[in-house]
Amino acid sequence: MKDLLKEIQNCKKCGLYKTRIMPTIYCGNIKSKIMFIGEAPGKNEDETGVPFCGRAGKILDELLNYINFKREDVHITNIVKCRPPKNRDPKESEIKKCGCFLEKQIKLVNPKIICPLGRFSSKYILKKYFKKSFEIGEVHGKVFKVNNIVIIPMYHPAAAIYDNKKIDVLKKDFKKIINNL
Ligand code: URA
């Protein structure tokens, strides 16, 4: 993991390194059975290097708590490691370039369950394993099994900030993690 951290810290493959403060790589356990993959760092993450440390992070903590987990028990990362300016969506080219780090990270952590959070990481992960595009609205909470890995795409926790019905959907989907551990 040390080598990977260095590689990401020195990365200049896309332009995001020019505007970010620091890369946000992961938090939690590097040998966890459960890996959550968000989208990209926001302002708080950029200042601290800690993924999901703002409002969406509070919701993620609530969801983890709901299934009796703490951050230290799981591995939390993002598909893009540097903050896109003004929190714009990550570009396809940025996702593609940063994806090689995520690939290495998945190999190092070797999780049993991968939960992509939101449309960008769900699309990336399902495409990687199934070579097919899916809409998050259709696949959230579904359990996919491939190469001994369980993939459970989820809505992004930030979705519950703007739509309070989403928290119940997320809770229901998080229960699937327990059922597949
Ligand atoms: N914070 C993150 O680290 N990732 C997201 O996708 C959103 C907020």
Side-chain angles (χ1 to χ4, degrees), residues 24 37-43 45 50-57 76-80 117 121 156-158:
T24 299
I37 306 170
E39 184 177 313
K43 186 173 186 293
E45 289 79 14
V50 179
F52 284 92
C53 65
R55 275 173 90 191
I76 304 173
T77 189
N78 285 303
I79 186 163
V80 169
L117 301 172
S121 55
H156 195 285

Side-chain angles (χ1 to χ4, degrees), residues 78-136:
N78 285 303
I79 186 163
V80 169
K81 309 296 196 237
C82 294
R83 182 191 183 201
K86 299 187 185 142
N87 292 356
R88 64 157 169 76
D89 286 344
K91 294 180 186 162
E92 203 61 51
S93 59
E94 292 158 354
I95 291 175
K96 208 166 166 193
K97 286 175 183 159
C98 217
C100 71
F101 298 130
L102 184 65
E103 307 283 329
K104 290 185 186 175
Q105 206 171 350
I106 293 173
K107 284 208 179 101
L108 286 168
V109 178
N110 191 23
K112 182 168 180 211
I113 302 186
I114 296 179
C115 296
L117 301 172
R119 64 195 162 107
F120 289 97
S121 55
S122 297
K123 191 172 163 199
Y124 182 90
I125 290 293
L126 293 174
K127 192 123 196 202
K128 165 180 160 66
Y129 289 101
F130 298 101
K131 316 265 176 283
K132 217 177 135 189
S133 268
F134 296 87
E135 287 300 317
I136 184 69

